[in-house]
Amino acid sequence: MAVLKMKIRKRNWKAGMLVTLFILVGFLAAYTFLFLKHDADMVDLNSRLSPMSLLHPFGTDHLGRDVMTRIFLGAQQTVGYAFMALAAAVVIGLPIGLVAGYKGGIIERILMRIADAFLAFPDTIVAIVLSGLMGPGIENLLLAIVFVKWVNYARLIRSTVVNERGKEYIAMAKVNGLSDGQIMRKHIFPHIIGNVLVLASLDLGKIILLISSLSYIGLGAQPPAPEWGAMLNDARPYFQSMPSLMIYPGLAIVTVVLISNVSGDYLRDKFDVKKEVQL
């Protein structure tokens, strides 16, 4: 009973933290778009490096652009692109993992050896090399991220399918005349969802950090895009005179990554998923 109560308190704490963070972010976003209505790319040199005010709650940057507007528009860039890369990685890894795990044999060995080749080097190193070879730009960066991320989902799904395919209910489904596609869709796929959701929620924070860090060194989003990593790079020369230009994008990245990690922990507890999904 004591252990159960501790687990319930842990879940309630995570859920409460998620709700609080979402409400805070939602309030600031609503205030930005309903009351301020600044153009994120409009240059106003007369207002450059202005301090905090009612008109500019986060101040302005070196070109007089409203920082708060750019922070929340940057969420569309950083978080939006992260979701796109994550969805593409899942879409690629899902069928490969299903087929490799269910069919087994030579198909499984070939697909998993290909996946192992992708895991020979760290994700970040491979993404940097690929982005450098393809050239700077957010499209090339997303391709590089998908290139290194699909492997985790393929291996996770394959291991889940292998664990399920030998159970009695799968044999009964075959005896009842269900096709392989029907068995995977109706009986195996529901066991995959929890693992994939947990890994995806944890991976979202990692992808956001990857996009921001590579944009910071010039391999991702290019100016004047209000991407958080690019904003950090633009603010470097003004760190001593106006450190808030780097603090606000940094806080935005930390907040979203924190939400991602807490969501992953909450989903892991909810679906009772083992910690091995953190590849």
Side-chain angles (χ1 to χ4, degrees):
M1 284 296 293
V3 174
L4 180 60
K5 288 181 179 179
M6 288 179 64
K7 289 184 177 180
I8 292 175
R9 288 198 199 100
K10 187 178 179 182
R11 292 183 183 181
N12 290 340
W13 175 82
K14 291 176 181 177
M17 185 175 183
L18 282 174
V19 171
T20 302
L21 288 173
F22 277 123
I23 291 175
L24 176 62
V25 173
F27 172 77
L28 292 175
Y31 179 79
T32 301
F33 294 110
L34 293 178
F35 298 104
L36 298 182
K37 298 182 179 179
H38 292 292
D39 185 346
D41 296 325
M42 185 179 68
V43 175
D44 182 8
L45 296 179
N46 293 325
S47 301
R48 67 188 300 270
L49 300 178
S50 297
M52 296 172 59
S53 65
L54 290 177
L55 185 61
H56 302 290
F58 288 178
T60 60
D61 64 7
H62 61 293
L63 296 177
R65 298 171 297 190
D66 183 69
V67 174
M68 188 172 183
T69 301
R70 290 179 62 80
I71 289 291
F72 284 100
L73 285 179
Q76 299 178 11
Q77 300 262 335
T78 307
V79 181
Y81 287 139
F83 272 112
M84 289 172 58
L86 186 62
V90 173
V91 167
I92 294 172
L94 177 61
I96 293 176
L98 274 173
V99 172
Y102 188 78
K103 292 296 184 181
I106 187 66
I107 296 177
E108 179 184 14
R109 289 196 293 272
I110 291 174
L111 292 176
M112 288 302 100
R113 294 300 77 76
I114 294 173
D116 290 341
F118 281 88
L119 292 174
F121 302 96
D123 291 357
T124 304
I125 301 299
V126 176
I128 291 174
V129 171
L130 291 177
S131 298
L133 291 174
M134 292 186 290
I138 193 65
E139 296 84 3
N140 293 336
L141 175 56
L142 293 181
L143 286 175
I145 292 173
V146 173
F147 192 79
V148 299
K149 283 296 181 183
W150 69 268
V151 182
N152 292 339
Y153 296 92
R155 290 179 62 85
L156 173 66
I157 293 168
R158 175 254 176 194
S159 64
T160 305
V161 174
V162 168
N163 186 52
E164 295 296 324
R165 73 183 182 190
K167 294 185 177 179
E168 292 185 2
Y169 73 91
I170 299 296
M172 293 298 297
K174 291 179 180 179
V175 170
N176 289 331
L178 271 68
S179 65
D180 290 342
Q182 290 175 318
I183 292 174
M184 285 190 283
R185 186 176 68 254
K186 293 182 178 180
H187 297 288
I188 295 180
F189 188 74
H191 293 277
I192 295 172
I193 294 176
N195 289 351
V196 171
L197 283 177
V198 173
L199 181 58
S201 60
L202 294 171
D203 244 356
L204 180 64
K206 298 177 183 178
I207 294 175
I208 289 172
L209 288 175
L210 197 55
I211 291 175
S212 299
S213 59
L214 294 188
S215 295
Y216 177 78
I217 62 176
L219 292 177
Q222 301 298 304
E227 196 280 325
W228 293 336
M231 291 176 66
L232 284 171
N233 186 39
D234 288 342
R236 281 188 304 116
Y238 309 96
F239 179 68
Q240 291 185 340
S241 59
M242 197 167 183
S244 60
L245 292 179
M246 295 193 75
I247 291 174
Y248 290 130
L251 285 176
I253 294 171
V254 169
T255 300
V256 175
V257 172
L258 179 62
I259 291 174
S260 170
N261 291 340
V262 174
S263 299
D265 288 341
Y266 177 75
L267 290 173
R268 185 176 60 202
D269 293 340
K270 184 176 180 60
F271 287 104
D272 195 23
V273 176
K274 296 180 180 179
K275 293 186 178 181
E276 281 79 0
V277 298
Q278 300 183 47
L279 300 175

